[in-house]
Amino acid sequence: MTGADHWTLSGNAKRHTGYWAEEFTAPYQAFTEAGFEVVVATPGGVKPPVDLGSLAPAANGGEKGAEEVAEIIKNAAPLDNPIALSDAKLADYVAVFYPGGHGPMEDLAVNKDSAALLVETLDSGKPLALVCHGPAAILATAENGPSPFAGYRLTAFSDAEERLGGLADQAKWLLEDRLIELGADYQCGAPFEPFVQADRNLHTGQNPASAAPLAAAVLDAL
């Protein structure tokens, strides 16, 4: 998960962000209810910050949904005890899942420890899942040459969704564009509707609404 509480926009303006609540809570519930232990890893082992906008009733289908999401986060012990990404050993886990939010655009997109874990997981055949802006982490795998993710069919938060969210014109770069430049076979569905792609052991979801279906796909793979 991201450890960044801001996203640097054009003109070096900093927008508060973090992880998007639903993209943690929906998979967390699905995995724990299926009997799996969840371990959170972040750059430097810092506690992942939640995007406060993702806690609002408008982002959770109303007041009741917002209360449920806040309660899950409050009681999710792994969020309070993250390990450092550099200490995350793939052999200890059966799958790897990256929530989104704009935070990954700031830190995971350039994080070498994350890149190494992504490549190792892809090569291992274990389920690897990334949702919304989580696939920004894939960009770090192309720092020293072609990315092993080139040619993979995947999805992520679309340029259209970024425009509808009002941030496209302020962003230094857009995720869909960068993934295409990297060589990925980028696909997307309708804005803010669930859309999931699977290519070999790589599973991706387009937006927050895709988090629960993506978690279900990972459980099916397991």
Side-chain angles (χ1 to χ4, degrees):
M1 297 178 72
T2 183
D5 62 2
H6 68 276
W7 179 29
T8 305
L9 301 170
S10 298
N12 290 323
K14 288 180 169 52
R15 176 183 176 85
H16 169 80
T17 186
Y19 69 89
W20 195 258
E22 182 181 2
E23 295 169 28
F24 168 80
T25 58
Y28 179 74
Q29 274 195 299
F31 297 146
T32 54
E33 288 175 1
F36 292 96
E37 177 188 358
V38 173
V39 175
V40 171
T42 63
V46 301
K47 183 175 179 178
V50 64
D51 187 316
L52 298 180
S54 69
L55 299 176
N60 294 286
E63 194 68 44
K64 182 180 179 182
E67 291 173 357
E68 290 173 352
V69 163
E71 190 69 13
I72 294 169
I73 291 173
K74 177 183 176 182
N75 294 317
L79 286 175
D80 295 322
N81 301 282
I83 66 171
L85 264 171
S86 58
D87 293 331
K89 308 304 180 188
L90 181 61
D92 296 336
Y93 307 103
V94 295
V96 174
F97 192 103
Y98 275 60
H102 281 110
M105 302 278 279
E106 185 72 22
D107 60 355
L108 299 182
V110 294
N111 187 280
K112 294 180 180 179
D113 293 324
S114 171
L117 179 62
L118 289 174
V119 173
E120 185 181 5
T121 310
L122 192 70
D123 289 344
S124 74
K126 293 181 178 181
L128 171 60
L130 309 94
V131 65
C132 199
H133 290 90
I138 291 173
L139 302 178
T141 66
E143 187 173 300
N144 298 312
S147 169
F149 288 84
Y152 273 78
R153 187 178 68 258
L154 53 74
T155 189
F157 203 68
S158 67
D159 289 359
E161 288 168 316
E162 209 74 82
R163 284 192 293 271
L164 289 168
L167 292 175
D169 291 341
Q170 302 174 53
K172 291 184 177 181
W173 50 271
L174 297 176
L175 182 53
E176 175 185 331
D177 298 344
R178 290 287 297 274
L179 289 170
I180 292 171
E181 291 170 8
L182 176 141
D185 177 12
Y186 177 85
Q187 306 288 323
C188 70
F192 305 111
E193 294 294 325
F195 186 77
V196 171
Q197 291 287 290
D199 188 347
R200 287 155 279 186
N201 63 317
L202 177 65
H203 304 266
T204 49
Q206 182 175 323
N207 46 38
S210 306
L214 183 62
V218 171
L219 289 173
D220 284 345
L222 289 170

